[in-house]
Amino acid sequence: MTEGLRERKKRKTRRHLSDVAIGLFVDRGFDQVTIAEIAAAAEVSVNTLYNYFTAKEDLVLPPEDASPQRLADIVRERAPGVSAARAVLAHLREEVRGRERSLGLTAGFGQVLEMMLAAPTLRARLEELGRQMTDALADTLAEETGAEPGDPLPRAVAWQIGCLHSLVYAEVGRRVAAGQGPDAIAEAVLELLDVTEGLLGEPLLTYAVREG
């Protein structure tokens, strides 16, 4: 579906507000900046800002970029003949090759990451987000495979896929902290994905293959 003018303007406004907020957070620290100061810097009212972001943490981790449904959505959208794990692997490779902002593969992300790790509420949000992603994926896998209530297999598979997903973000963060640039990080992460896929067993790689 083609994005309409109104939706495009809203998306640009959300990105502008987020960029302004992150700039202030990086300069002064997440806890030292108020919503009123962000609104003033972005030249909007406080009410307008809250219309776009219901919580201060959302300015750094927007729900559309950091959704609890992220892994479940990737799996739901996979093509026929593709398993859940291979769908996530392919999606991650695509994001890495595209130097996606959501992965932190952009210039200047090192300062943003440092700011995020220094803010307890953002760190807690990241940890909770990882748990929610795994839970949502487990529910999706159980539904798609017709697993019986209490069957541990969907949750076990979801946990392993969630760990793979977390590993990619951890590797990006480690290399960003070491001062590496987006291109070098992307190359290393693609290699990591290849190595990790080689270590995964067939039961995981062939679980929940979508029928044609």
Side-chain angles (χ1 to χ4, degrees):
M1 182 180 296
T2 303
E3 184 181 39
L5 177 61
R6 183 179 180 183
E7 289 73 22
R8 185 161 62 250
K9 289 179 66 175
K10 289 178 66 175
R11 177 172 54 81
K12 287 182 178 179
T13 299
R14 285 179 63 83
R15 180 60 68 193
H16 170 65
L17 294 173
S18 178
D19 286 346
V20 169
I22 289 174
L24 291 173
F25 295 152
V26 168
D27 287 342
R28 295 165 48 194
F30 181 79
D31 293 328
Q32 279 65 53
V33 179
T34 67
I35 289 292
E37 289 171 327
I38 297 168
E43 299 183 332
V44 300
S45 69
V46 170
N47 285 341
T48 295
L49 193 149
Y50 274 122
N51 285 337
Y52 284 91
F53 297 94
T54 58
K56 186 178 173 182
E57 289 78 13
D58 291 341
L59 286 154
V60 182
L61 296 167
E64 66 271 19
D65 293 334
S67 169
Q69 295 294 321
R70 171 174 159 79
L71 291 175
D73 285 343
I74 292 171
V75 169
R76 291 191 197 103
E77 294 167 4
R78 70 194 185 285
V82 178
S83 70
R86 291 195 188 280
V88 173
L89 283 163
H91 191 90
L92 287 170
R93 287 189 174 101
E94 182 180 352
E95 289 185 331
V96 172
R97 293 188 181 106
R99 308 293 192 270
E100 292 291 334
R101 171 181 173 140
S102 60
L103 281 181
L105 293 175
T106 54
F109 181 70
Q111 291 178 304
V112 177
L113 179 64
E114 184 178 353
M115 174 273 295
M116 291 172 66
L117 296 180
T121 56
L122 288 176
R123 294 188 67 160
R125 171 73 74 89
L126 286 170
E127 293 174 2
E128 177 64 10
L129 181 62
R131 184 191 65 77
Q132 291 174 341
M133 284 185 186
T134 300
D135 287 346
L137 178 57
D139 290 342
T140 296
L141 292 174
E143 179 181 352
E144 287 199 2
T145 60
E148 295 292 331
D151 185 346
L153 187 55
R155 175 158 295 281
V157 171
W159 182 83
Q160 292 188 64
I161 293 175
C163 286
L164 166 67
H165 184 258
S166 296
L167 176 63
V168 168
Y169 279 85
E171 186 69 7
V172 170
R174 185 178 73 84
R175 292 181 178 276
V176 165
Q180 296 184 18
D183 290 343
I185 295 173
E187 182 178 353
V189 172
L190 288 172
E191 182 180 2
L192 176 65
L193 284 168
D194 289 343
V195 170
T196 304
E197 183 173 4
L199 294 173
L200 298 177
E202 283 301 302
L204 177 63
L205 291 173
T206 60
Y207 181 79
V209 173
R210 168 152 291 170
E211 297 181 1

